[in-house]
Amino acid sequence: SGSAAAVLGSILAGRGNEALGHLLQGEMLAERGDLDGAARAYVRGARLDDPRAMHRLGRCYEEGAGRRLRPVRAAYWYEQAAYHQYAEAQLDLARCYEHGLGVPVVPGRAYVLYRKAASAGLVEALPHVARCEATNFGLPRLLVHGDQSHGV
């Protein structure tokens, strides 16, 4: 059924909210179990530079929901959304860099992204920041070992 999701998407598109329309359409399709349709809607939103749609598309690739399981593509879409300062994408991208999911393990990048997500108010990022700081994971060497360059 071309359904309420398609109608809503059309209405929002007509009002200049095309990206939001695709995002909402994707959410509604995912709720009904149409993961392929949801992923297609997220692709349309991502092409319009909507960071929320980019993030959802990354999740589709990470979870294999409506798309083949492809960690590299997931990390790519998280990166695109994180570039737009989307905190949930920053958190997911940090996790990718911490665990090597689709990208190399880069502790410093993971830590910075966890901090950005926490600074943006994403409470879920706070335990990750605390763990990184408690274990010195990703912290710059100067903070961990002190500045020894001046013979102190």
Side-chain angles (χ1 to χ4, degrees), residues 114-132:
Y114 283 137
R115 292 281 311 225
K116 283 185 177 189
S119 295
L122 194 62
V123 176
E124 296 94 321
L126 292 174
H128 297 285
V129 171
R131 180 179 37 75
C132 287

Side-chain angles (χ1 to χ4, degrees), residues 56-139:
R56 300 295 194 302
L57 186 55
R59 284 268 172 93
C60 289
Y61 281 115
E62 182 178 0
E63 298 167 1
R67 290 286 180 259
R68 278 190 315 145
L69 192 66
R70 295 176 68 188
V72 172
R73 294 297 294 165
Y76 169 82
W77 284 111
Y78 292 153
E79 182 86 50
Q80 298 305 304
Y83 175 79
H84 290 285
Q85 307 306 312
Y86 191 63
E88 288 182 42
Q90 291 169 334
L91 178 66
D92 284 335
L93 185 59
R95 190 173 38 76
C96 290
Y97 277 111
E98 180 177 1
H99 300 288
L101 305 172
V103 293
V105 173
V106 182
R109 182 90 170 109
Y111 174 68
V112 166
L113 286 161
Y114 283 137
R115 292 281 311 225
K116 283 185 177 189
S119 295
L122 194 62
V123 176
E124 296 94 321
L126 292 174
H128 297 285
V129 171
R131 180 179 37 75
C132 287
E133 291 176 352
T135 62
N136 296 327
F137 181 84
L139 272 62

Side-chain angles (χ1 to χ4, degrees), residues 12-62:
L12 290 170
R15 294 187 177 158
N17 294 317
E18 190 174 355
L20 178 60
H22 293 305
L23 176 70
L24 293 177
Q25 183 180 27
E27 296 296 306
M28 293 170 83
L29 290 168
E31 265 184 41
R32 291 198 325 234
D34 182 359
L35 301 180
D36 292 335
R40 286 192 300 274
Y42 298 145
V43 166
R44 290 190 297 274
R47 287 183 180 150
L48 295 170
D49 278 341
D50 185 275
R52 297 160 301 184
M54 292 172 179
H55 178 249
R56 300 295 194 302
L57 186 55
R59 284 268 172 93
C60 289
Y61 281 115
E62 182 178 0

